[in-house]
Amino acid sequence: MKRMLWLAGIGLVLTSCFKQQERNCAAFKTGKFQVEFEVNGQKQITMLERNDSIQIETYQGKTDTATVRWVSDCEYIVKQKHPKNMAEKKAYAIKILNTSKNSYTFEFGEVDSDVKQTGTVTKIN
């Protein structure tokens, strides 16, 4: 019995040492941002401006508008507003993993896909 209590105490101490990372996702719902991510091992950069429900993205000289639907405080779905082909019709799920003062790390992938990538967003203003 003493051994079980001792093990439980050790477990409690160990789990209390691992503080869950705070996320201030509300600070990133609107503003201008620079997004960095990798595609096939190469760093890519996208500039975007987002209000609560619309996002205007500029990637490789091309500007597009997408709808943003927040499904929780730190997760949202992005979908092209005027897709020109089947690839642009796909919706993407974004999950903010952690935040700092002016940036956040996220994972993203097609909705209903297990394949995920990560990236970093820096708030410009």
Side-chain angles (χ1 to χ4, degrees):
M1 183 68 169
K2 285 183 183 180
R3 185 176 177 167
M4 297 252 318
L5 287 173
W6 183 78
L7 288 174
I10 293 289
L12 182 61
V13 168
L14 289 176
T15 57
S16 66
C17 291
F18 295 103
K19 180 182 174 188
Q20 185 173 357
Q21 187 129 19
E22 277 189 51
R23 298 183 292 173
N24 179 16
C25 301
F28 299 99
K29 286 191 174 186
T30 62
K32 291 183 180 182
F33 306 93
Q34 177 176 304
V35 183
E36 294 182 17
F37 58 98
E38 281 193 19
V39 174
N40 298 322
Q42 293 192 356
K43 182 177 166 181
Q44 303 292 315
I45 296 177
T46 298
M47 302 303 291
L48 63 89
E49 186 169 352
R50 178 172 54 229
N51 67 29
D52 193 50
S53 62
I54 297 291
Q55 181 167 291
I56 299 169
E57 306 174 25
T58 302
Y59 175 66
Q60 295 182 337
K62 181 180 169 189
T63 300
D64 286 309
T65 302
T67 59
V68 177
R69 183 173 55 89
W70 290 88
V71 294
S72 73
D73 287 342
C74 295
E75 296 180 57
Y76 58 99
I77 307 292
V78 175
K79 188 171 184 179
Q80 289 270 348
K81 196 165 184 170
H82 305 288
K84 296 173 187 73
N85 55 48
M86 291 301 288
E88 290 182 358
K89 287 184 179 184
K90 297 176 181 178
Y92 289 86
I94 291 91
K95 180 178 182 179
I96 298 174
L97 302 174
N98 56 57
T99 64
S100 66
K101 182 178 177 181
N102 67 342
S103 67
Y104 65 87
T105 302
F106 68 100
E107 73 175 14
F108 70 100
E110 291 178 23
V111 171
D112 297 327
S113 172
D114 292 334
V115 178
K116 303 292 182 201
Q117 297 178 347
T118 60
T120 304
V121 173
T122 303
K123 192 167 189 176
I124 297 170
N125 73 343

